[in-house]
Amino acid sequence: MNTIIKIAWRNIWRNKRRTFITIASIMFALFFAIIMRGFALGAYSNMKENAVESYSGYVQINKKGYWDDKNINNIFTIDKGILDKVKSTENVKTVIPRLESFALASTGETTKGVAVMGISPERENEMTKMKTFMKEGEFISENDKSVLVAEDLAKYLKVEVNDTLVLYSSGYHGTTAAGLYPIKGIVSLPTPEMNMGTIFIPIKEAQNLYSAPNMFTAIALNLNSVNDVDDVISDIKVFVNTDEYDVLSWEKMNEELLQMIEADNAGQLIMIGILYMVIAFGILGTVLMMTNERLREFSVMISIGMQKYKLAMVVVLELIMLTIIAIFAGISISLPVGIYFYNNPIQFSGKEVEAMKSFNLEPSMPMSIDVEVFAYQALTISIITLVAMTYPVIKIFTMNVVSGLRG
Amino acid sequence: MSVIKIKNITKTYTETEVPVHAVNGVDLEIEKGEFTAIVGPSGSGKTTLLNMIGGLEKPTSGNITINDTEIENLSSSDLIDFRLRNIGFVFQAYNLIPVLTAKENVEFIMSLQNIDKAEINKRTISLLESVGLGNRVNSKPTQLSGGQQQRVAVARALASKPQFVLADEPTANLDSVSTSQLLEIMEELNKKENMTFIFSTHDQRVVDKAHRIITIEDGKIISDVRK
Ligand SMILES: Nc1ncnc2c1ncn2[C@@H]1O[C@H](COP(=O)(O)OP(=O)(O)OP(=O)(O)O)[C@@H](O)[C@H]1O
Ligand SMILES: [Mg+2]
């Protein structure tokens, strides 16, 4: 066995240039694949996280049908006892009540349709970290009768902190909803859409405005981890009447985003597939050359008494060692780059920012350094060499030793 | 006692347009300790005959018995083992495993036989010394001359303690000095260890050293002379 390893190892370095070229091509393919996947997966999880943490939460409880028909009449009250049970469900971190609807916001001169988010400020902040988005003024508290206005909306309405806004809408069951609210602060929201049309108001005030005391459009849940979603949903469904309520997962609430990610992902996998195809032909070429130029040598070894399986082991070991070296090289050049971009996400500037914002994307590109990113690429290369390996092995078992010797 | 008994073997290649009768009815016995040259013009069937004796190629008809084993009945993997234990091979050129040193090439065949380390070591050194390469044990084949490579090949052929050594034109690529050196070494091993050698050659000086000269033409033995 030692001899076999020794022969295999030395064979790798027999044609140094070819070995280096092979290793380098695998290494760069791995590098590109890992970096590409790293950015993509990083971006995807960032988008999901944003969607979840800035709005949907991991799980939401709604009145049945609300998600498809977001209407002020589709709201609900919930039994305090049930709400307590939801709160004490395992892995539920925060329970976030909301009452949201639409209204016309007016300053007298300018009027605009806006989303009115009735929130429980402190709890909302626990999940969305809203306080970090504060631009001017102060954050609202539970019993305030004032509002927060999104930055671009404030500009559009030409209002500042301490100015007063009129909100006008229709309330629960067709009542008239109207109110006068001083602006307590201006918030800068991550997506342009939200930034142009959102007003936050303490939930009690929202319930007053819409004549919907103790009613909610949603109870959003923040969980310890995305992995707890399914468990939490099935736990909740035990005591929440599913004829009356929907218990939705973040995936259900972010279907469009997930579809977009899936499409993008598929496109990228095709590109990486093409890259690997090129690499596969390169590896196959090396293996073909390496096999065919050694047929005489193989014939001599078999002639003098080396069993074919042992000879096959030499060649297989050569390819395994070559692959391991190449994978190791590929990972060791991409890991530092990955770690760097993980810690220092690329920040876009100038025009790109607007472009990205208009797609509801954050203008920064974080990198995923998940083991998965590396493992999949290493696995792909391994499968390619495994396939390439069959050529010399079959050749060794089927070759004609005599013609190899005459060769 | 004969080591090799060949009864009426033929080898016909049929893949060609006209069938080639490369070996055409050969009967032959080789005794232990013989030093035999097989001569004949190019294309007369020397290589084909040696390949069949060495179990590298199966005869079209007839049979070959080596020490009571009819080799045509062995499976291909048993045949490889049989060659390992019974036959030493020296080919015309590029005999050695290029990535192994002279010493490792000789050791290689014994490690295939699972001989223990100490024994391998002792035998390797003494064999390389007996072919005059005691001072080149750590050289790679590319660092050795053609003649030196052939001597390592002879040492390797003997390492497995075979029944006989087959050498197909072992001196074809060598100059006259290396040729006579190699022949002397083979003769010496033949005398000292009573090793049986069968070699083919075109070279009259090599023929002159042989103790038995078998001449073939068109796949048939036309003369068999013992000196
Ligand atoms: N695989 C094969 N297919 C067809 N014909 C073959 C094959 N191998 C050898 N021959 C033919 O068999 C005959 C004997 O060949 P062989 O190589 O045994 O001759 P040789 O005496 O060793 O010649 P040389 O002195 O040139 O080495 C030749 O006519 C050769 O062309
Ligand atoms: Mg020949």
Side-chain angles (χ1 to χ4, degrees):
Chain A
M1 194 64 209
N2 280 338
T3 319
I4 287 176
I5 296 172
K6 185 163 69 189
I7 295 175
W9 177 252
R10 290 190 192 164
N11 272 329
I12 297 178
W13 304 108
R14 205 160 136 184
N15 192 332
K16 285 202 184 66
R17 192 186 321 174
R18 186 162 71 206
T19 300
F20 279 127
I21 291 171
T22 309
I23 289 177
S25 70
I26 297 177
M27 180 175 85
F28 285 117
L30 271 176
F31 177 76
F32 287 124
I34 288 172
I35 299 300
M36 264 170 78
R37 289 311 279 162
F39 276 127
L41 297 184
Y44 299 157
S45 70
N46 206 34
M47 286 184 219
K48 290 176 192 168
E49 215 166 275
N50 272 344
V52 167
E53 296 196 339
S54 72
Y55 181 64
S56 74
Y58 291 103
V59 175
Q60 266 197 23
I61 301 171
N62 300 122
K63 185 183 173 77
K64 195 156 192 70
Y66 172 79
W67 194 258
D68 296 318
D69 181 15
K70 295 192 180 80
N71 180 314
I72 190 68
N73 293 321
N74 260 339
I75 60 179
F76 63 96
T77 53
I78 193 158
D79 203 76
K80 177 95 172 51
I82 292 175
L83 206 53
D84 286 343
K85 275 193 193 165
V86 173
K87 266 181 210 164
S88 53
T89 300
E90 210 184 336
N91 292 319
V92 171
K93 216 156 73 178
T94 331
V95 169
I96 303 155
R98 289 184 185 145
L99 178 68
E100 48 174 295
S101 187
F102 296 94
L104 289 173
S106 173
T107 55
E109 288 163 36
T110 330
T111 302
K112 191 176 184 308
V114 297
V116 176
M117 308 278 289
I119 58 168
S120 174
E122 289 304 322
R123 291 200 221 169
E124 196 74 27
N125 179 57
E126 261 182 58
M127 179 168 85
T128 62
K129 311 285 179 303
M130 271 185 77
K131 282 183 185 172
T132 61
F133 301 138
M134 288 300 295
K135 263 302 242 240
E136 279 169 57
E138 277 170 54
F139 194 61
I140 46 174
S141 57
E142 205 73 41
N143 295 313
D144 279 348
K145 294 185 190 310
S146 48
V147 297
L148 297 178
V149 178
E151 194 183 11
D152 291 346
L153 177 63
K155 274 187 207 144
Y156 182 86
L157 296 172
K158 300 193 188 73
V159 289
E160 286 173 9
V161 175
N162 293 330
D163 286 353
T164 303
L165 265 184
V166 175
L167 293 180
Y168 184 83
S169 182
S170 66
Y172 190 46
H173 287 330
T175 53
T176 302
L180 206 58
Y181 298 100
I183 297 168
K184 197 174 183 191
I186 309 281
V187 280
S188 168
L189 298 176
T191 72
E193 211 177 303
M194 291 168 95
N195 219 15
M196 194 58 205
T198 312
I199 285 177
F200 294 95
I201 178 169
I203 189 160
K204 273 190 202 147
E205 261 321 297
Q207 287 165 342
N208 281 340
L209 176 66
Y210 289 105
S211 317
N214 293 318
M215 299 187 88
F216 309 98
T217 48
I219 307 284
L221 305 182
N222 192 21
L223 308 185
N224 288 325
S225 147
V226 69
N227 302 322
D228 302 328
V229 169
D230 293 340
D231 287 345
V232 168
I233 289 178
S234 54
D235 287 351
I236 288 176
K237 279 186 171 168
V238 171
F239 52 81
V240 166
N241 181 357
T242 51
D243 290 333
E244 208 175 326
Y245 302 102
D246 280 330
V247 183
L248 303 177
S249 70
W250 69 279
E251 283 149 318
K252 170 78 187 136
M253 295 181 281
N254 294 287
E255 256 172 352
E256 268 172 47
L257 174 72
L258 292 177
Q259 273 163 12
M260 189 199 87
I261 287 177
E262 213 168 280
D264 186 86
N265 193 37
Q268 207 192 47
L269 289 181
I270 289 171
M271 264 176 67
I272 289 183
I274 292 169
L275 174 70
Y276 277 131
M277 204 103 94
V278 172
I279 295 304
F281 281 110
I283 293 176
L284 200 65
T286 305
V287 171
L288 288 183
M289 276 194 280
M290 173 184 116
T291 307
N292 289 320
E293 72 193 9
R294 275 161 65 190
L295 290 182
R296 179 176 161 96
E297 186 181 323
F298 291 167
S299 301
V300 169
M301 289 164 99
I302 296 167
S303 297
I304 65 173
M306 186 178 206
Q307 286 292 350
K308 290 181 172 181
Y309 77 87
K310 285 190 183 171
L311 182 54
M313 259 160 69
V314 171
V315 182
V316 164
L317 259 178
E318 283 171 31
L319 289 172
I320 289 176
M321 291 193 286
L322 192 72
T323 310
I324 290 175
I325 294 171
I327 288 177
F328 189 78
I331 288 178
S332 51
I333 60 166
S334 38
L335 193 59
V337 177
I339 290 174
Y340 176 83
F341 285 116
Y342 175 78
N343 291 319
N344 309 281
I346 294 178
Q347 301 293 337
F348 290 95
S349 57
K351 276 189 181 152
E352 287 131 13
V353 176
E354 295 312 311
M356 294 191 75
K357 277 187 170 176
S358 67
F359 286 110
N360 276 359
L361 296 176
E362 252 192 317
S364 87
M365 249 166 97
M367 173 100 181
S368 167
I369 48 171
D370 213 73
V371 203
E372 184 187 308
V373 176
F374 296 86
Y376 273 127
Q377 308 316 320
L379 189 71
T380 312
I381 292 289
S382 308
I383 290 171
I384 292 172
T385 33
L386 221 59
V387 171
M389 236 176 241
T390 55
Y391 177 77
V393 170
I394 290 171
K395 193 83 192 175
I396 285 169
F397 278 98
T398 57
M399 70 183 283
N400 182 333
V401 173
V402 170
S403 53
L405 285 173
R406 285 183 192 266
Chain B
M1 188 192 93
S2 45
V3 193
I4 304 167
K5 274 190 204 138
I6 298 171
K7 278 206 198 103
N8 195 24
I9 55 167
T10 65
K11 180 74 189 180
T12 308
Y13 292 107
T14 50
E15 309 93 83
T16 44
E17 262 178 57
V18 189
V20 179
H21 302 286
V23 170
N24 197 1
V26 165
D27 286 291
L28 184 63
E29 285 196 22
I30 303 278
E31 304 294 322
K32 179 85 195 142
E34 279 192 316
F35 199 63
T36 308
I38 296 181
V39 298
S42 183
S44 56
K46 304 181 294 293
T47 299
T48 309
L49 180 61
L50 287 179
N51 283 347
M52 289 193 288
I53 297 172
L56 297 172
E57 218 168 349
K58 297 215 171 192
T60 309
S61 67
N63 61 25
I64 299 171
T65 311
I66 292 169
N67 274 355
D68 302 329
T69 307
E70 286 197 19
I71 60 171
E72 60 269 24
N73 296 334
L74 296 173
S75 74
S76 77
S77 94
D78 285 345
L79 198 54
I80 293 176
D81 264 333
F82 184 85
R83 290 200 296 265
L84 173 65
R85 289 170 205 290
N86 297 285
I87 309 172
F89 287 93
V90 179
F91 302 103
Q92 187 172 324
Y94 306 112
N95 269 290
L96 305 178
I97 300 171
V99 295
L100 297 182
T101 63
K103 179 164 172 281
E104 288 163 342
N105 262 287
V106 177
E107 287 170 344
F108 173 69
I109 197 141
M110 288 185 275
S111 74
L112 290 179
Q113 287 181 309
N114 297 321
I115 295 171
D116 73 71
K117 271 247 160 70
E119 168 73 14
I120 289 181
N121 215 26
K122 207 177 77 191
R123 210 167 146 64
T124 304
I125 299 299
S126 97
L127 276 166
L128 284 171
E129 275 169 359
S130 70
V131 298
L133 291 172
N135 56 344
R136 300 302 302 270
V137 292
N138 292 321
S139 303
K140 290 268 175 68
T142 48
Q143 299 164 329
L144 296 172
S145 72
Q148 288 167 333
Q149 289 181 36
Q150 289 304 76
R151 285 190 261 156
V152 176
V154 169
R156 182 187 64 191
L158 263 75
S160 58
K161 295 194 173 164
Q163 298 295 326
F164 57 90
V165 173
L166 289 178
D168 191 9
E169 303 200 39
T171 61
N173 289 14
L174 304 184
D175 61 31
S176 57
V177 178
S178 305
T179 299
S180 56
Q181 269 179 346
L182 191 72
L183 254 288
E184 266 165 40
I185 285 162
M186 283 164 59
E187 244 184 325
E188 177 98 4
L189 291 165
N190 169 251
K191 252 186 243 149
K192 255 192 358 208
E193 309 205 5
N194 197 31
M195 179 54 65
T196 313
F197 278 89
I198 307 163
F199 47 93
S200 71
T201 186
H202 281 294
D203 187 335
Q204 193 54 44
R205 286 164 303 174
V206 177
V207 179
D208 291 342
K209 298 268 185 185
H211 306 161
R212 181 179 175 187
I213 301 158
I214 296 168
T215 311
I216 61 174
E217 247 180 67
D218 294 333
K220 288 196 172 82
I221 296 179
I222 56 163
S223 85
D224 185 349
V225 188
R226 283 194 172 85
K227 283 202 279 192

